[in-house]
Amino acid sequence: MFLLTVSVSIVLLHVLCNKPVAKCSAGHPLSIKHRQYHSGDLIIAGIISQIYIFSELKTFRRHPSAEPLDELNYFMASWTYLASMVLISTHDRFITNYRCDDKDNTVSVIVGPNPQFCQYVANILNLYKVPQLVYGSSPVVNSNAQAASLHRMFPNEYHQNEGILHLLLNFKWTWVGMVYIGNDSGEKFVHDILPMFHQNGICFDFITEIPRDSSSTKIENLVLKFYEMYWIIIRSTSKVVILYCENQCIVVLRIVFHGAEFEELPFKSHVWIMTAQIEFTTIPFQRNIGIDSFHGAISFAVSSNEVLGFQQFLQTMNPASKNQESLMRIFWELVFQCSFPSTDSNEDIGNICTGEEKLETLPGSLFEMTMTAQSYSVYNAVYAVAHALQAMHAYKVKHSGMQDVRGQMQQQLWQLHYYLRRVSFNNTSGEKVSFNQNGEIEAGFDIINWVIFPNLSIVKVKIGKADPHVPVEKRLSISASDITWPRMFNQVQPISMCNEKCLEGYSKIKVEGKPFCCYNCLPCPEGKISNQQDMDDCIECQEDQYSNNAKDFCIQKNRSFLSYEEPLGIALTTLAVSFSFMTILVLAVFLKYSDTPIVKANNRSLSYSLLIALLLSFLSTFLFMGEPQKVTCPLRQTVFGVIFSVAVSCVLAKTTIVVLAFLATQPGSRMRKWIGRRLASSIVISSSFIQTILCTVWLAISPPFPDFDKHSMVKEIVLECNEGSTVLFYCVLGFMGMLALISFTVAFFARKLPDSFNEAKFITFSMLLFCSVWLCFVPAYLSTKGKYTVAVEIFSILASSLGLLGCIFSPKCFIILVHPALNKQGQLIVQKRK
């Protein structure tokens, strides 16, 4: 590879720099145009330098049996330094640092395409302030003085890097490989491109350096390094590989791929993305080697147009008139596999070149009939120098009169830098050529698709453009439908990702130890969605929405409350109405038989009060049903609390009176004075009053209010009554529980009283049922959600109220209605005696 790059620089230095430009007439600077088409050296040298290596051609011509590496020491950087020195010395007489005539004066040097050899040239020519027009990658400069002598026919590489990034993002290629040449330019490319790509979500499967050869490199070691690189590329999972190097890389990679094919090694197609520093290059022994590996490649190229007259020039070119050492003659002999007759040799030379052979008959792998982008840059460079010379000449004439302007210009050619930086003209293809303040040409990049046919012909199709002079969102324009992809992909755009995209409903999760482009997919949790592919995190639904089963969109939650229309509401309403009707029937029975002994024995006023309280308890459940309102919410718990307190206090009063009545019958007992309506009324009123005070404080400080619970239920917004002060709510329940516990305790100790006072047994059982219901209520209330919480409380009210109604009043109603004979005073006395 070192061999190849050195020789390219030698070609351009000798052919481009030492002939036409140096002999350009000061009086007719644009006569360079005629010399370009008349001699063909300028324009054709730019093309040949990218297709054949001049020095290697000479090696093959002189030593047909020699191996290319036999004369490796001949192609050293020192030859580039020597060529640079020759440019500023006497023609055909190399005397270091001396010029013995003034006929040949180098006014500018066009150099490229390899940056390391541009650097070698600059190290010499910068000392003499000779302008250098670089048509490939610019060398890395360390000072402003070095940069001042360089005029770049290659746009700022940042724009190319940005174009590659936009190309990858356009096709959503986030998992790519990179092969680069290991010089200053390649390392700078890697250094610049990695942060830019990472910031935009693109990472690399591999980054490998093309092995570099040197005079000390053994051929077997070099081959081993190349095949190590080959295996890295083949084993990668990326479908896209960025190739950053110079022209000779194509030569090297063709050798590697051909060797792998010959050895029947595995092969995998990639989409090669190549930089503008690369153009197709071949050497003689690759004439019949296939180039299918690069079919479908996408490359960048400095923007160019077709030059008028170039095709006609190529078709009429005849190298027979050139001298024996002409580059054109050597090129002609090799591509057409013939030889021009030599007067110095009488040996049989085989096929004779006539000079009438046609370049258009050559396959594209050997010669392209269209002007390449690098040749176009050389073409513009020549005209840039001509226009700068013209501007400089006009200025000198204007300010120095008609004196020896040519001689004066030869002494002050270093001033050409000023005019080169300010040159601006339209070339023959109508394109504007100018430099920016950094000495870089104002141009963009064309995007080229390589289409390779089985006969080794190459067609480069322009599929887009990267223009740095437009807004960011428009900098890349590309026609994907015009792209021919590698055959392996069956004309389907390839996907190059570390893993498949996370579908909607999933989010990405990083995989430890792998680049950030590699990730796993995690389903979105409940209440979150991802409505796009490859989302970094799931989006949480709004409070009034929930995620669907696929977790890819949010659904509006339904409003939920315990309504009368739903089955649960209908069932509870039916029970409440039924139990209320039963209570009314019991109350009616007790009113009708109010004068009977059994009704009198059970304290009629307390019985009536208890039945009315139970009736209101059943009816209070309707406050809990339906949509919560500003009126019903404060009433439901407070009304229920007061009513139930009345009911439980009535039971407590009945139990207390039963106990006191038994104690009053004992001889000498003073309890008789406590028996009466006052005691029962005081118990009921005091208990109800305390509960009423608690409810009043509750309503005054933090009353219940309608609220929305958006979190308890996944798919529903629960319309509920917020209890306000939870402490006061549990105080109300706690007070009722205390009354019930006292009633149960008193009734439990009085359960073995004589049969005439068996009220205590029924009260004990009813209070046991009552306490059991409300003890179960607490965990059930806390564990249920939404409308079922309300249903649990309604059920507890109905069950506990029914327990009191059934256990206390059903035995009495049974005797009154079924066995009226037992409802007599005599029966009570007999039972008492027994």
Side-chain angles (χ1 to χ4, degrees):
M1 204 161 54
F2 182 83
L3 172 151
L4 302 176
T5 49
V6 173
S7 52
V8 171
S9 297
I10 294 174
V11 169
L12 295 179
L13 284 170
H14 281 290
V15 178
L16 297 181
C17 304
N18 215 21
K19 286 190 177 181
V21 179
K23 294 184 178 180
C24 183
S25 169
H28 304 281
L30 290 181
S31 64
I32 192 170
K33 176 179 179 182
H34 298 285
R35 292 187 178 273
Q36 187 176 33
Y37 283 99
H38 178 70
S39 65
D41 281 329
L42 269 177
I43 195 67
I44 205 65
I47 302 169
I48 296 171
S49 65
Q50 297 152 47
I51 301 177
Y52 281 97
I53 307 304
F54 171 60
S55 297
E56 179 146 83
L57 300 183
K58 295 180 70 176
T59 301
F60 271 80
R61 188 168 184 264
R62 294 175 184 173
H63 309 284
S65 62
E67 292 293 331
L69 294 178
D70 286 346
E71 298 187 9
L72 185 61
N73 292 329
Y74 178 79
F75 305 102
M76 298 178 64
S78 58
W79 282 96
T80 305
Y81 283 114
L82 174 60
S84 302
M85 292 296 295
V86 167
L87 290 173
I88 54 176
S89 301
T90 302
H91 182 59
D92 291 335
R93 292 176 61 196
F94 177 61
I95 304 175
T96 307
N97 210 31
Y98 281 90
R99 180 181 296 278
C100 303
D101 58 21
D102 60 354
K103 294 181 180 179
D104 281 336
N105 291 289
T106 301
V107 298
S108 183
V109 172
I110 302 173
V111 61
N114 296 1
Q116 65 269 35
F117 294 102
C118 296
Q119 182 69 59
Y120 299 152
V121 174
N123 291 340
I124 300 298
L125 299 185
N126 282 352
L127 299 175
Y128 299 90
K129 299 182 180 179
V130 176
Q132 299 141 58
L133 286 84
V134 181
Y135 68 89
S137 293
S138 300
V140 179
V141 295
N142 300 318
S143 65
N144 293 332
Q146 290 180 340
S149 296
L150 297 178
H151 307 274
R152 301 171 178 87
M153 304 305 298
F154 194 92
N156 191 315
E157 288 193 46
Y158 173 81
H159 301 313
Q160 178 174 241
N161 298 346
E162 187 180 53
I164 295 173
L165 172 63
H166 289 164
L167 179 69
L168 296 176
L169 295 177
N170 180 77
F171 292 114
K172 298 180 174 59
W173 293 332
T174 59
W175 184 239
V176 299
M178 180 186 291
V179 179
Y180 71 99
I181 188 169
N183 55 23
D184 292 341
S185 180
E187 291 173 359
K188 183 178 183 300
F189 175 78
V190 174
H191 178 269
D192 292 345
I193 208 170
L194 283 179
M196 180 191 296
F197 280 31
H198 286 168
Q199 291 170 9
N200 288 273
I202 294 173
C203 47
F204 294 90
D205 183 10
F206 65 88
I207 300 176
T208 183
E209 177 183 340
I210 292 181
R212 288 179 288 179
D213 57 352
S214 65
S215 58
S216 61
T217 305
K218 293 183 178 180
I219 185 64
E220 58 270 18
N221 293 336
L222 190 60
V223 171
L224 181 61
K225 291 180 180 179
F226 278 122
Y227 278 98
E228 287 177 357
M229 179 192 70
Y230 175 83
W231 281 110
I232 291 174
I233 297 173
I234 294 303
R235 289 171 177 168
S236 71
T237 57
S238 65
K239 303 293 191 303
V240 177
V241 179
I242 299 172
L243 180 60
Y244 182 91
C245 59
E246 283 85 32
N247 295 355
Q248 71 274 14
C249 287
I250 301 297
V251 174
V252 173
L253 291 175
R254 283 181 67 187
I255 295 172
V256 172
F257 291 141
H258 179 69
E261 182 181 357
F262 180 78
E263 296 182 16
E264 298 183 352
L265 297 178
F267 178 77
K268 183 170 64 175
S269 291
H270 292 85
V271 177
W272 293 91
I273 298 179
M274 299 185 290
T275 58
Q277 289 84 347
I278 302 173
E279 287 196 354
F280 191 83
T281 306
T282 189
I283 55 178
F285 76 85
Q286 293 180 316
R287 182 185 188 96
N288 298 317
I289 294 179
I291 50 177
D292 290 342
S293 303
F294 297 100
H295 176 69
I298 298 174
S299 67
F300 283 71
V302 179
S303 292
S304 61
N305 289 328
E306 187 172 347
V307 176
L308 298 177
F310 178 64
Q311 294 287 335
Q312 293 82 348
F313 164 71
L314 291 179
Q315 292 169 358
T316 60
M317 191 168 56
N318 189 330
S321 59
K322 302 291 183 180
N323 61 56
Q324 190 173 3
E325 293 297 323
S326 168
L327 173 63
M328 195 68 250
R329 288 172 65 97
I330 300 171
F331 162 71
W332 205 272
E333 289 177 342
L334 283 166
V335 295
F336 289 109
Q337 296 181 321
C338 61
S339 298
F340 285 98
S342 174
T343 57
D344 300 334
S345 176
N346 296 322
E347 62 183 29
D348 184 12
I349 58 176
N351 294 333
I352 298 177
C353 296
T354 64
E356 300 296 329
E357 294 83 2
K358 299 298 182 183
L359 291 172
E360 58 264 31
T361 62
L362 296 174
S365 59
L366 289 179
F367 189 84
E368 296 182 57
M369 290 295 291
T370 57
M371 182 180 286
T372 64
Q374 290 185 1
S375 298
Y376 186 77
S377 296
V378 174
Y379 169 81
N380 284 332
V382 173
Y383 272 88
V385 174
H387 279 274
L389 283 171
Q390 184 182 42
M392 184 176 175
H393 176 263
Y395 179 84
K396 296 296 182 182
V397 170
K398 180 178 179 181
H399 291 81
S400 303
M402 297 303 294
Q403 301 173 3
D404 185 12
V405 176
R406 180 176 180 181
Q408 187 179 2
M409 288 179 64
Q410 290 174 354
Q411 298 298 323
Q412 299 178 351
L413 282 176
W414 57 269
Q415 295 179 355
L416 191 62
H417 293 295
Y418 174 84
Y419 297 96
L420 276 172
R421 287 295 174 95
R422 287 157 180 78
V423 73
S424 180
F425 64 93
N426 290 335
N427 61 19
T428 57
S429 50
E431 186 176 30
K432 183 180 179 181
V433 179
S434 61
F435 297 93
N436 61 22
Q437 59 184 2
N438 298 320
E440 299 162 337
I441 193 168
E442 293 279 4
F445 293 91
D446 293 332
I447 302 176
I448 308 297
N449 183 213
W450 290 23
V451 181
I452 299 174
F453 296 94
N455 63 356
L456 302 184
S457 297
I458 300 176
V459 175
K460 294 183 179 179
V461 181
K462 183 177 177 179
I463 57 173
K465 186 177 181 65
D467 188 351
H469 306 111
V470 297
V472 176
E473 63 275 8
K474 298 180 180 179
R475 286 184 181 175
L476 179 76
S477 58
I478 191 166
S479 176
S481 60
D482 294 334
I483 299 177
T484 299
W485 300 108
R487 296 182 179 89
M488 172 184 176
F489 302 116
N490 296 321
Q491 202 48 34
V492 176
Q493 178 185 318
I495 298 174
S496 188
M497 302 179 67
C498 182
N499 46 259
E500 293 186 2
K501 290 184 177 181
C502 290
L503 301 177
E504 296 176 357
Y506 292 82
S507 64
K508 298 191 294 187
I509 180 172
K510 181 176 175 56
V511 179
E512 293 296 331
K514 290 189 176 182
F516 65 89
C517 290
C518 302
Y519 48 83
N520 288 331
C521 299
L522 188 68
C524 290
E526 200 67 44
K528 291 187 176 183
I529 64 164
S530 64
N531 52 11
Q532 297 178 3
Q533 292 183 344
D534 271 354
M535 291 189 64
D536 293 326
D537 198 5
C538 297
I539 304 171
E540 190 167 3
C541 292
Q542 297 180 6
E543 289 185 343
D544 58 347
Q545 296 177 335
Y546 69 96
S547 57
N548 64 333
N549 293 334
K551 303 294 189 299
D552 55 0
F553 67 90
C554 294
I555 303 174
Q556 193 69 30
K557 289 183 177 180
N558 296 321
R559 293 159 60 92
S560 173
F561 57 89
L562 186 60
S563 65
Y564 295 100
E565 291 80 10
E566 62 181 297
L568 181 60
I570 294 173
L572 293 175
T573 301
T574 302
L575 290 176
V577 171
S578 301
F579 296 159
S580 299
F581 183 72
M582 290 170 57
T583 305
I584 292 173
L585 290 178
V586 172
L587 180 60
V589 170
F590 267 62
L591 288 174
K592 182 178 181 180
Y593 297 97
S594 59
D595 294 329
T596 59
I598 197 168
V599 174
K600 291 180 179 180
N602 284 278
N603 196 323
R604 284 179 296 185
S605 59
L606 284 178
S607 296
Y608 297 153
S609 299
L610 178 58
L611 286 171
I612 293 172
L614 292 176
L615 175 62
L616 294 176
S617 296
F618 290 132
L619 295 177
S620 68
T621 57
F622 291 103
L623 292 174
F624 291 85
M625 294 189 189
E627 183 175 350
Q629 303 291 335
K630 291 182 179 180
V631 177
T632 58
C633 280
L635 291 178
R636 59 166 59 173
Q637 298 292 0
T638 54
V639 169
F640 155 70
V642 171
I643 292 173
F644 246 61
S645 295
V646 172
V648 175
S649 61
C650 288
V651 174
L652 176 61
K654 289 172 70 69
T655 307
T656 303
I657 290 175
V658 168
V659 173
L660 291 177
F662 174 74
L663 294 175
T665 59
Q666 302 295 325
S669 175
R670 298 180 180 181
M671 293 296 177
R672 188 180 298 272
K673 63 181 180 179
W674 293 100
I675 301 174
R677 293 183 177 179
R678 289 184 178 180
L679 177 62
S681 299
S682 61
I683 292 174
V684 174
I685 293 172
S686 60
S687 300
S688 303
F689 179 75
I690 294 173
Q691 187 71 295
T692 302
I693 293 297
L694 288 175
C695 292
T696 303
V697 172
W698 185 7
L699 293 174
I701 295 176
S702 180
F705 58 90
D707 196 8
F708 300 94
D709 181 4
K710 300 178 181 178
H711 306 289
S712 296
M713 305 296 288
V714 174
K715 300 180 180 181
E716 297 175 346
I717 298 175
V718 179
L719 278 64
E720 62 178 8
C721 288
N722 190 307
E723 305 303 347
S725 175
T726 306
V727 175
L728 289 172
F729 171 64
Y730 284 108
C731 285
V732 171
L733 292 181
F735 182 75
M736 288 190 298
M738 182 188 69
L739 291 178
L741 184 61
I742 293 173
S743 298
F744 172 73
T745 303
V746 173
F748 179 78
F749 286 111
R751 71 188 185 281
K752 293 184 179 180
L753 292 176
D755 290 343
S756 58
F757 301 103
N758 59 5
E759 183 81 3
K761 293 181 180 179
F762 300 133
I763 293 174
T764 301
F765 189 74
S766 66
M767 294 313 299
L768 178 62
L769 181 61
F770 182 92
C771 292
S772 300
V773 169
W774 286 102
L775 286 175
C776 294
F777 162 77
V778 175
Y781 183 83
L782 296 176
S783 61
T784 53
K785 297 178 181 180
K787 60 185 178 183
Y788 299 103
T789 302
V790 179
V792 166
E793 187 168 1
I794 293 175
F795 179 79
S796 298
I797 294 172
L798 295 176
S800 56
S801 300
L802 182 63
L804 293 177
L805 179 65
C807 294
I808 294 176
F809 292 100
S810 60
K812 282 78 175 173
C813 290
F814 181 78
I815 292 174
I816 292 171
L817 298 175
V818 179
H819 297 285
L822 299 178
N823 190 11
K824 293 180 180 180
Q825 186 68 27
Q827 291 294 328
L828 294 175
I829 295 173
V830 170
Q831 289 178 5
K832 179 180 178 181
R833 288 177 179 178
K834 289 181 179 179

